[in-house]
Amino acid sequence: MATITQVSPLAPAGFPDLPQIAGVRFATAAAGVKYTGRTDVMLAVLDAGTSVAGVFTRSSTRAAPVLDCQQKLGGDSTGPAAILVNSGNANAFTGHYGQASVTEVTQAVAKTTGVPVSRVFTASTGVIGEPLPHDRIVSRIEDMNAGLSGDAIEGAAQAIMTTDTFPKGASAQVEIDGKTVSIAGIAKGSGMIAPDMATMLVYIFTDAGYDQAALQSAVSAMADRTFNCITVDSDTSTSDSLLVCATGAAGVDATGDAGFDAALEQVMRDLAHLVVRDGEGATKFIEIRVTGAMSNAEAKTHGLSVANSPLVKTAIAGEDANWGRVVMAIGKSGATADRDRLSISFGDILVAEKGWVSPDYREEDAAAYMKAPELVIAIDLGLGAGKATVWTCDLTHGYIEINADYRS
């Protein structure tokens, strides 16, 4: 398996100082699921009354933990809850053994923590097609339960990493009825990133209260505007899971509060961007803004077509202002486009308009712009009011090096 030794050049300076969320405690352990010398299991225990909402991969080959979580969401939310995540093994494509492993782990967590098994949510990430050595995880649950702490979220972010080069966290605070409520989230993800619901593994916690059904509806909509708008390599994982947990410990009901919803969506967007910044082998963070489409959905289709194009991504890796590849990606997307109404800009540089290269375009200007680590490609279809923004990274030799021997 490839060893990741260098932190992504697009990584933030360090892990952020996240606010402590009342009503949730964390612990980690080194269970040796696959890795040696590092933590690879995270346990979070949440107070009684916590609302839990989530979205998951729609992959036809989704993993046993995903299926288990999907069955449990929306049930009774009066009791406490728990989340257990392991890295190194995805427990995917493992047949009946996969569900047996989930049962063993969830029952052990329930027995040790006192959380009803119907409120124990698990996730696994790593290699597909190998049985999960769940006994190694079960053997560490008592130790983790004894070591639960409210200020251990950074360690939790580290424990769920696979090919990630840095732990990912984001937060926000908002005032509701004179009281401050906090939101803090962690994520893992670097490759196999083209979410079809949420993304990779993401866990977000708030001390606000929020009706479960309303939270589920809000999170599903927010995921479509954040995690479902990123791509690294066009591949959707078998294990993508996002859980948002509202403990209510702050004594504030945030259900439907516009300010809180905006803050939660910003945390989701920040985490989504961090995943792209840690894209396997990435050296460029790319924002693709599409306007003038027939609908928002068609704008997103165009944006993802450009973002997923290996030819576009490799040109950007080579700092080549090859705008013709953007034209190609728009043309193949399947969404409505008119060559003679199309405009393309790289940053503030108008590259093409009305189906032809702009008369003011200078190749040297675009070439200089492409050297920046963060790029914006703006596309206007000239057809309607539809718009969307998606985010991706470049495609480099580093991606091949990481994935060519990931399993071996």
Side-chain angles (χ1 to χ4, degrees):
M1 181 174 178
T3 300
I4 312 301
T5 57
Q6 291 186 327
V7 175
S8 168
L10 303 171
F15 193 80
D17 184 16
L18 302 183
Q20 188 168 325
I21 304 298
V24 59
R25 297 169 295 149
F26 305 91
T28 63
V33 173
K34 183 176 181 69
Y35 308 112
T36 57
R38 53 154 286 187
T39 57
D40 57 359
V41 182
M42 177 275 280
L43 173 67
V45 177
L46 300 120
D47 286 356
T50 296
S51 295
V52 181
V55 286
F56 303 89
T57 180
R58 289 194 289 257
S59 167
S60 298
T61 56
R62 54 193 181 276
V66 172
L67 296 172
D68 186 67
C69 286
Q70 288 178 309
Q71 291 176 352
K72 291 175 176 177
L73 274 184
D76 179 56
S77 60
T78 57
I83 299 169
L84 186 137
V85 184
N86 75 269
S87 57
N89 184 305
N91 193 18
F93 205 67
T94 47
H96 65 85
Y97 187 93
Q99 184 55 53
S101 292
V102 170
T103 299
E104 290 289 336
V105 170
T106 55
Q107 289 183 345
V109 170
K111 180 180 179 181
T112 302
T113 64
V115 172
V117 71
S118 62
R119 292 266 283 168
V120 178
F121 303 92
T122 67
S124 298
T125 180
V127 173
I128 294 170
E130 294 184 4
L132 178 70
H134 57 258
D135 54 320
R136 301 179 191 177
I137 298 170
V138 170
S139 70
R140 301 310 310 275
I141 291 174
E142 287 191 9
D143 288 344
M144 285 192 291
N145 186 57
L148 288 166
S149 171
D151 62 358
I153 192 170
E154 181 176 358
Q158 293 171 335
I160 64 177
M161 292 166 52
T162 52
T163 58
D164 304 58
T165 69
F166 62 90
K168 300 165 182 65
S171 67
Q173 291 184 307
V174 63
E175 189 171 297
I176 302 176
D177 297 332
K179 294 183 178 180
T180 299
V181 297
S182 300
I183 306 168
I186 59 175
K188 69 81 51 184
S190 187
M192 201 182 290
I193 306 299
D196 190 16
M197 41 50 71
T199 188
M200 301 51 66
L201 300 181
V202 182
Y203 302 97
I204 300 174
F205 308 91
T206 177
D207 53 10
Y210 211 115
D211 174 76
Q212 194 279 331
L215 184 62
Q216 181 63 56
S217 178
V219 168
S220 295
M222 292 174 189
D224 274 341
R225 296 189 294 267
T226 57
F227 295 117
N228 275 350
C229 289
I230 65 170
T231 180
V232 168
D233 49 20
S234 80
D235 285 330
T236 296
S237 171
T238 60
S239 306
D240 292 344
S241 302
L242 161 67
L243 291 180
V244 178
C245 307
T247 70
V252 177
D253 184 3
T255 304
D257 184 88
F260 178 87
D261 286 355
L264 176 58
E265 184 165 341
Q266 186 59 56
V267 169
M268 292 169 70
R269 186 175 297 107
D270 289 346
L271 290 171
H273 287 186
L274 288 173
V275 170
V276 173
R277 291 180 180 278
D278 203 15
E280 290 171 343
T283 65
K284 307 281 189 182
F285 177 85
I286 308 154
E287 180 171 291
I288 300 170
R289 302 172 184 168
V290 181
T291 56
M294 294 293 288
S295 66
N296 290 347
E298 288 214 343
K300 187 174 179 180
T301 297
H302 281 302
L304 288 173
S305 181
V306 175
N308 282 321
S309 167
L311 288 176
V312 172
K313 291 157 72 72
T314 50
I316 292 171
E319 300 180 341
D320 178 10
N322 194 334
W323 55 272
R325 293 183 177 181
V326 177
V327 174
M328 171 278 301
I330 293 167
K332 74 166 186 175
S333 76
T336 309
D338 183 332
R339 180 198 62 193
D340 295 334
R341 297 188 182 188
L342 182 64
S343 296
I344 300 170
S345 297
F346 290 172
D348 294 331
I349 303 166
L350 180 62
V351 174
E353 58 180 335
K354 299 177 181 178
W356 194 251
V357 62
S358 171
D360 298 324
Y361 174 66
R362 298 196 321 149
E363 181 81 18
E364 55 268 36
D365 293 340
Y369 177 73
M370 298 302 289
K371 296 184 181 300
E374 299 189 15
L375 303 170
V376 175
I377 298 175
I379 300 159
D380 189 84
L381 281 300
L383 299 172
K387 61 181 180 179
T389 302
V390 303
W391 299 274
T392 190
C393 58
D394 54 344
L395 181 59
T396 71
H397 291 289
Y399 183 88
I400 298 172
E401 292 168 0
I402 291 167
N403 286 284
D405 62 351
Y406 177 73
R407 187 176 178 277
S408 58

